[in-house]
Amino acid sequence: MTNPSDIVWHEQTVDRAAREANLGQRGVVVWFTGLSGCGKSTVANELEHQLNQLGRATILLDGDNIRHGLCAPPSGLRDEHGEEFADRFGLGFGAIDREENIRRIGSVAALMASAGLITLTAFVSPYRKDRDRVRKIVESSGAVGDFLEVFVDTPLEICEARDPKGLYKKARAGEIKNFTGISDPYEAPKQPEIHLAGNAEATPRQQAAEVLAELTRRGIVSVSAPQGQ
Ligand SMILES: Nc1ncnc2c1ncn2[C@@H]1O[C@H](COP(=O)(O)OS(=O)(=O)O)[C@@H](OP(=O)(O)O)[C@H]1O
Ligand SMILES: Nc1ncnc2c1ncn2[C@@H]1O[C@H](COP(=O)(O)OP(=O)(O)O)[C@@H](O)[C@H]1O
């Protein structure tokens, strides 16, 4: 078994401040959470577009995409890596699988932020404890204020009516187990930095602008172009 003391942290010459200075911005994590179909991907996508227009360096990590690679299900690993590997490292939707999913994404997001990127993530991330752990990882590798939780608070009825992938229908029919909001819990954030209330009137563009306004208010984004441009 590996002894943790055999693994020693290596200090690097180029630090976060140097990377951020080159980009002319501060690295942060903007963490979208909410039910499937609430609009996380759409709003995060639109926000990345708006940030991109402002010349900011960004990255968007999206649940559906990340589950095609870093957090693939067992079925996505079996052919290439075999049964034992797939069962050990493949992730589904049980509570422990979600915990590991969010732990991996959280570590990646913290790395992206320390590269100076405005890091947007869109994961259901239904468990408060898992999200709070990511907050801790991000803040301990940077500073308090580097993690902003965005609660996309679209009511279940609206998400279910949208059902763009037909998953709610399958979940209601019992064809998908552990489906968030139907047969699995969603623990709403208690004090999210940004609360996008379940208002069927607000367009994704307006919701993204609401997040951008908060980033601006906090000094993470300024309306002028980044340094050096
Ligand atoms: N059981 C169950 N519960 C919730 N969601 C499910 C499930 N099975 C598949 N899907 C699809 O997977 C997407 C959620 O993946 P995430 O990585 O964001 O989930 S989690 O954060 O680990 O809870 C989610 O994507 P979004 O609809 O974009 O949220 C669904 O399309
Ligand atoms: N503010 C909104 N108003 C109306 N429809 C929306 C809004 N935000 C997202 N949608 C639609 O809802 C569906 C689910 O959005 P999506 O971003 O895929 O959600 P999630 O990533 O949370 O699963 C999509 O068809 C999208 O076009």
Side-chain angles (χ1 to χ4, degrees), residues 36 40 64 67 93 98 101 123-126 165 167 178:
S36 174
K40 301 179 296 296
D64 283 324
R67 279 182 180 270
F93 290 91
R98 293 187 200 250
N101 186 37
F123 296 87
V124 174
S125 46
K165 304 168 204 159
L167 297 176
N178 301 117

Side-chain angles (χ1 to χ4, degrees), residues 152-167:
V152 188
D153 189 9
T154 310
L156 176 64
E157 310 80 74
I158 295 181
C159 298
E160 192 167 356
R162 287 179 183 165
D163 204 9
K165 304 168 204 159
L167 297 176

Side-chain angles (χ1 to χ4, degrees), residues 34-43 62 122 162 164-165 200 202-204 207:
L35 297 170
S36 174
C38 70
K40 301 179 296 296
S41 303
T42 309
V43 180
D62 186 278
R162 287 179 183 165
K165 304 168 204 159
T203 65
Q207 292 183 311

